PDB file of all heavy atoms in Angstrom:
ATOM      1  N   LEU L 184     -65.010  81.624 -41.640  1.00 97.00           N
ATOM      2  CA  LEU L 184     -63.960  82.580 -41.259  1.00 97.00           C
ATOM      3  C   LEU L 184     -64.230  83.960 -41.864  1.00 97.00           C
ATOM      4  O   LEU L 184     -64.084  84.989 -41.186  1.00 97.00           O
ATOM      5  CB  LEU L 184     -62.593  82.069 -41.706  1.00 97.00           C
ATOM      6  CG  LEU L 184     -62.009  80.875 -40.929  1.00 97.00           C
ATOM      7  CD1 LEU L 184     -60.752  80.360 -41.616  1.00 97.00           C
ATOM      8  CD2 LEU L 184     -61.701  81.241 -39.477  1.00 97.00           C
ATOM      9  N   GLU L 185     -64.642  83.964 -43.124  1.00 96.00           N
ATOM     10  CA  GLU L 185     -64.908  85.235 -43.806  1.00 96.00           C
ATOM     11  C   GLU L 185     -66.211  85.863 -43.323  1.00 96.00           C
ATOM     12  O   GLU L 185     -66.267  87.062 -43.028  1.00 96.00           O
ATOM     13  CB  GLU L 185     -64.946  85.010 -45.323  1.00 96.00           C
ATOM     14  CG  GLU L 185     -63.598  84.616 -45.915  1.00 96.00           C
ATOM     15  CD  GLU L 185     -63.694  84.174 -47.358  1.00 96.00           C
ATOM     16  OE1 GLU L 185     -64.756  84.409 -47.984  1.00 96.00           O
ATOM     17  OE2 GLU L 185     -62.723  83.568 -47.859  1.00 96.00           O
ATOM     18  N   LYS L 186     -67.261  85.051 -43.238  1.00 94.00           N
ATOM     19  CA  LYS L 186     -68.583  85.566 -42.861  1.00 94.00           C
ATOM     20  C   LYS L 186     -68.577  86.146 -41.448  1.00 94.00           C
ATOM     21  O   LYS L 186     -69.189  87.183 -41.175  1.00 94.00           O
ATOM     22  CB  LYS L 186     -69.623  84.458 -42.962  1.00 94.00           C
ATOM     23  CG  LYS L 186     -71.066  84.897 -42.732  1.00 94.00           C
ATOM     24  CD  LYS L 186     -72.022  83.758 -43.049  1.00 94.00           C
ATOM     25  CE  LYS L 186     -73.470  84.184 -42.887  1.00 94.00           C
ATOM     26  NZ  LYS L 186     -73.844  84.384 -41.484  1.00 94.00           N
ATOM     27  N   GLU L 187     -67.847  85.483 -40.539  1.00 97.00           N
ATOM     28  CA  GLU L 187     -67.810  85.914 -39.139  1.00 97.00           C
ATOM     29  C   GLU L 187     -66.619  86.818 -38.831  1.00 97.00           C
ATOM     30  O   GLU L 187     -66.452  87.239 -37.686  1.00 97.00           O
ATOM     31  CB  GLU L 187     -67.771  84.679 -38.226  1.00 97.00           C
ATOM     32  CG  GLU L 187     -68.968  83.749 -38.368  1.00 97.00           C
ATOM     33  CD  GLU L 187     -70.250  84.392 -37.862  1.00 97.00           C
ATOM     34  OE1 GLU L 187     -70.187  85.132 -36.866  1.00 97.00           O
ATOM     35  OE2 GLU L 187     -71.314  84.134 -38.477  1.00 97.00           O
ATOM     36  N   ASN L 188     -65.788  87.087 -39.851  1.00 97.00           N
ATOM     37  CA  ASN L 188     -64.607  87.948 -39.674  1.00 97.00           C
ATOM     38  C   ASN L 188     -63.744  87.468 -38.506  1.00 97.00           C
ATOM     39  O   ASN L 188     -63.388  88.235 -37.599  1.00 97.00           O
ATOM     40  CB  ASN L 188     -65.038  89.403 -39.452  1.00 97.00           C
ATOM     41  CG  ASN L 188     -63.885  90.378 -39.604  1.00 97.00           C
ATOM     42  OD1 ASN L 188     -62.914  90.109 -40.316  1.00 97.00           O
ATOM     43  ND2 ASN L 188     -63.944  91.502 -38.917  1.00 97.00           N
ATOM     44  N   ILE L 189     -63.384  86.172 -38.541  1.00 97.00           N
ATOM     45  CA  ILE L 189     -62.613  85.550 -37.455  1.00 97.00           C
ATOM     46  C   ILE L 189     -61.111  85.675 -37.748  1.00 97.00           C
ATOM     47  O   ILE L 189     -60.645  85.315 -38.816  1.00 97.00           O
ATOM     48  CB  ILE L 189     -63.000  84.067 -37.312  1.00 97.00           C
ATOM     49  CG1 ILE L 189     -64.490  83.942 -36.959  1.00 97.00           C
ATOM     50  CG2 ILE L 189     -62.143  83.382 -36.255  1.00 97.00           C
ATOM     51  CD1 ILE L 189     -65.014  82.521 -36.993  1.00 97.00           C
ATOM     52  N   ARG L 190     -60.377  86.176 -36.781  1.00 96.00           N
ATOM     53  CA  ARG L 190     -58.930  86.326 -36.899  1.00 96.00           C
ATOM     54  C   ARG L 190     -58.233  85.169 -36.185  1.00 96.00           C
ATOM     55  O   ARG L 190     -58.719  84.664 -35.174  1.00 96.00           O
ATOM     56  CB  ARG L 190     -58.472  87.651 -36.278  1.00 96.00           C
ATOM     57  CG  ARG L 190     -58.977  88.883 -37.009  1.00 96.00           C
ATOM     58  CD  ARG L 190     -58.641  90.133 -36.213  1.00 96.00           C
ATOM     59  NE  ARG L 190     -57.232  90.163 -35.805  1.00 96.00           N
ATOM     60  CZ  ARG L 190     -56.794  90.731 -34.704  1.00 96.00           C
ATOM     61  NH1 ARG L 190     -57.642  91.316 -33.866  1.00 96.00           N
ATOM     62  NH2 ARG L 190     -55.506  90.731 -34.416  1.00 96.00           N
ATOM     63  N   LEU L 191     -57.058  84.783 -36.690  1.00 95.00           N
ATOM     64  CA  LEU L 191     -56.256  83.747 -36.046  1.00 95.00           C
ATOM     65  C   LEU L 191     -55.363  84.376 -34.986  1.00 95.00           C
ATOM     66  O   LEU L 191     -54.653  85.348 -35.253  1.00 95.00           O
ATOM     67  CB  LEU L 191     -55.403  83.014 -37.086  1.00 95.00           C
ATOM     68  CG  LEU L 191     -56.178  82.350 -38.240  1.00 95.00           C
ATOM     69  CD1 LEU L 191     -55.217  81.600 -39.153  1.00 95.00           C
ATOM     70  CD2 LEU L 191     -57.263  81.411 -37.715  1.00 95.00           C
ATOM     71  N   GLU L 192     -55.438  83.823 -33.776  1.00 94.00           N
ATOM     72  CA  GLU L 192     -54.624  84.311 -32.672  1.00 94.00           C
ATOM     73  C   GLU L 192     -53.941  83.126 -31.997  1.00 94.00           C
ATOM     74  O   GLU L 192     -54.198  81.977 -32.344  1.00 94.00           O
ATOM     75  CB  GLU L 192     -55.500  85.068 -31.655  1.00 94.00           C
ATOM     76  CG  GLU L 192     -56.282  86.231 -32.257  1.00 94.00           C
ATOM     77  CD  GLU L 192     -57.281  86.824 -31.283  1.00 94.00           C
ATOM     78  OE1 GLU L 192     -56.928  86.923 -30.091  1.00 94.00           O
ATOM     79  OE2 GLU L 192     -58.409  87.152 -31.707  1.00 94.00           O
ATOM     80  N   TYR L 193     -53.070  83.393 -31.023  1.00 92.00           N
ATOM     81  CA  TYR L 193     -52.343  82.325 -30.334  1.00 92.00           C
ATOM     82  C   TYR L 193     -52.292  82.634 -28.838  1.00 92.00           C
ATOM     83  O   TYR L 193     -51.243  82.933 -28.283  1.00 92.00           O
ATOM     84  CB  TYR L 193     -50.941  82.145 -30.928  1.00 92.00           C
ATOM     85  CG  TYR L 193     -50.982  81.725 -32.372  1.00 92.00           C
ATOM     86  CD1 TYR L 193     -50.999  82.688 -33.379  1.00 92.00           C
ATOM     87  CD2 TYR L 193     -51.065  80.383 -32.731  1.00 92.00           C
ATOM     88  CE1 TYR L 193     -51.091  82.314 -34.723  1.00 92.00           C
ATOM     89  CE2 TYR L 193     -51.157  80.004 -34.065  1.00 92.00           C
ATOM     90  CZ  TYR L 193     -51.166  80.971 -35.052  1.00 92.00           C
ATOM     91  OH  TYR L 193     -51.260  80.602 -36.360  1.00 92.00           O
ATOM     92  N   GLY L 194     -53.455  82.577 -28.196  1.00 92.00           N
ATOM     93  CA  GLY L 194     -53.531  82.889 -26.779  1.00 92.00           C
ATOM     94  C   GLY L 194     -53.183  81.697 -25.915  1.00 92.00           C
ATOM     95  O   GLY L 194     -52.816  80.619 -26.405  1.00 92.00           O
ATOM     96  N   ASN L 195     -53.310  81.865 -24.612  1.00 95.00           N
ATOM     97  CA  ASN L 195     -53.021  80.783 -23.669  1.00 95.00           C
ATOM     98  C   ASN L 195     -54.256  79.894 -23.489  1.00 95.00           C
ATOM     99  O   ASN L 195     -54.759  79.705 -22.381  1.00 95.00           O
ATOM    100  CB  ASN L 195     -52.577  81.359 -22.324  1.00 95.00           C
ATOM    101  CG  ASN L 195     -51.133  81.838 -22.361  1.00 95.00           C
ATOM    102  OD1 ASN L 195     -50.486  81.782 -23.396  1.00 95.00           O
ATOM    103  ND2 ASN L 195     -50.643  82.289 -21.231  1.00 95.00           N
ATOM    104  N   ASP L 196     -54.739  79.372 -24.598  1.00 97.00           N
ATOM    105  CA  ASP L 196     -55.921  78.519 -24.608  1.00 97.00           C
ATOM    106  C   ASP L 196     -55.608  77.244 -25.377  1.00 97.00           C
ATOM    107  O   ASP L 196     -54.906  77.268 -26.395  1.00 97.00           O
ATOM    108  CB  ASP L 196     -57.099  79.229 -25.270  1.00 97.00           C
ATOM    109  CG  ASP L 196     -57.548  80.462 -24.506  1.00 97.00           C
ATOM    110  OD1 ASP L 196     -58.314  80.309 -23.554  1.00 97.00           O
ATOM    111  OD2 ASP L 196     -57.105  81.580 -24.868  1.00 97.00           O
ATOM    112  N   ILE L 197     -56.142  76.132 -24.888  1.00 98.00           N
ATOM    113  CA  ILE L 197     -55.991  74.825 -25.535  1.00 98.00           C
ATOM    114  C   ILE L 197     -57.390  74.262 -25.769  1.00 98.00           C
ATOM    115  O   ILE L 197     -58.245  74.309 -24.873  1.00 98.00           O
ATOM    116  CB  ILE L 197     -55.198  73.843 -24.643  1.00 98.00           C
ATOM    117  CG1 ILE L 197     -53.897  74.481 -24.125  1.00 98.00           C
ATOM    118  CG2 ILE L 197     -54.910  72.551 -25.400  1.00 98.00           C
ATOM    119  CD1 ILE L 197     -52.906  74.854 -25.201  1.00 98.00           C
ATOM    120  N   PHE L 198     -57.637  73.745 -26.966  1.00 98.00           N
ATOM    121  CA  PHE L 198     -58.946  73.171 -27.303  1.00 98.00           C
ATOM    122  C   PHE L 198     -58.820  71.649 -27.343  1.00 98.00           C
ATOM    123  O   PHE L 198     -57.910  71.113 -27.997  1.00 98.00           O
ATOM    124  CB  PHE L 198     -59.429  73.699 -28.641  1.00 98.00           C
ATOM    125  CG  PHE L 198     -60.817  73.236 -29.009  1.00 98.00           C
ATOM    126  CD1 PHE L 198     -61.924  73.753 -28.361  1.00 98.00           C
ATOM    127  CD2 PHE L 198     -61.019  72.286 -30.007  1.00 98.00           C
ATOM    128  CE1 PHE L 198     -63.208  73.334 -28.689  1.00 98.00           C
ATOM    129  CE2 PHE L 198     -62.289  71.865 -30.345  1.00 98.00           C
ATOM    130  CZ  PHE L 198     -63.396  72.393 -29.685  1.00 98.00           C
ATOM    131  N   ILE L 199     -59.736  70.954 -26.671  1.00 97.00           N
ATOM    132  CA  ILE L 199     -59.653  69.497 -26.528  1.00 97.00           C
ATOM    133  C   ILE L 199     -60.985  68.858 -26.890  1.00 97.00           C
ATOM    134  O   ILE L 199     -62.055  69.341 -26.503  1.00 97.00           O
ATOM    135  CB  ILE L 199     -59.310  69.094 -25.071  1.00 97.00           C
ATOM    136  CG1 ILE L 199     -58.022  69.770 -24.615  1.00 97.00           C
ATOM    137  CG2 ILE L 199     -59.198  67.578 -24.929  1.00 97.00           C
ATOM    138  CD1 ILE L 199     -57.842  69.739 -23.111  1.00 97.00           C
ATOM    139  N   THR L 200     -60.929  67.763 -27.633  1.00 95.00           N
ATOM    140  CA  THR L 200     -62.081  66.866 -27.797  1.00 95.00           C
ATOM    141  C   THR L 200     -61.577  65.436 -27.769  1.00 95.00           C
ATOM    142  O   THR L 200     -60.446  65.165 -28.186  1.00 95.00           O
ATOM    143  CB  THR L 200     -62.855  67.087 -29.123  1.00 95.00           C
ATOM    144  OG1 THR L 200     -62.067  66.594 -30.221  1.00 95.00           O
ATOM    145  CG2 THR L 200     -63.200  68.556 -29.337  1.00 95.00           C
ATOM    146  N   ALA L 201     -62.398  64.517 -27.283  1.00 92.00           N
ATOM    147  CA  ALA L 201     -62.057  63.083 -27.298  1.00 92.00           C
ATOM    148  C   ALA L 201     -63.355  62.297 -27.236  1.00 92.00           C
ATOM    149  O   ALA L 201     -64.127  62.448 -26.287  1.00 92.00           O
ATOM    150  CB  ALA L 201     -61.151  62.727 -26.127  1.00 92.00           C
ATOM    151  N   HIS L 202     -63.593  61.475 -28.245  1.00 86.00           N
ATOM    152  CA  HIS L 202     -64.880  60.777 -28.283  1.00 86.00           C
ATOM    153  C   HIS L 202     -64.856  59.432 -28.992  1.00 86.00           C
ATOM    154  O   HIS L 202     -65.814  58.668 -28.902  1.00 86.00           O
ATOM    155  CB  HIS L 202     -65.926  61.646 -28.983  1.00 86.00           C
ATOM    156  CG  HIS L 202     -65.730  61.733 -30.473  1.00 86.00           C
ATOM    157  ND1 HIS L 202     -64.803  62.563 -31.043  1.00 86.00           N
ATOM    158  CD2 HIS L 202     -66.314  61.056 -31.488  1.00 86.00           C
ATOM    159  CE1 HIS L 202     -64.840  62.419 -32.346  1.00 86.00           C
ATOM    160  NE2 HIS L 202     -65.737  61.500 -32.653  1.00 86.00           N
TER     161      HIS L 202
END
Side-chain angles (χ1 to χ4, degrees):
L184 288 172
E185 293 170 13
K186 186 172 183 289
E187 299 292 324
N188 194 27
I189 299 172
R190 294 172 50 211
L191 302 183
E192 304 172 39
Y193 297 90
N195 283 2
D196 296 277
I197 311 297
F198 184 73
I199 304 164
T200 72
H202 73 280

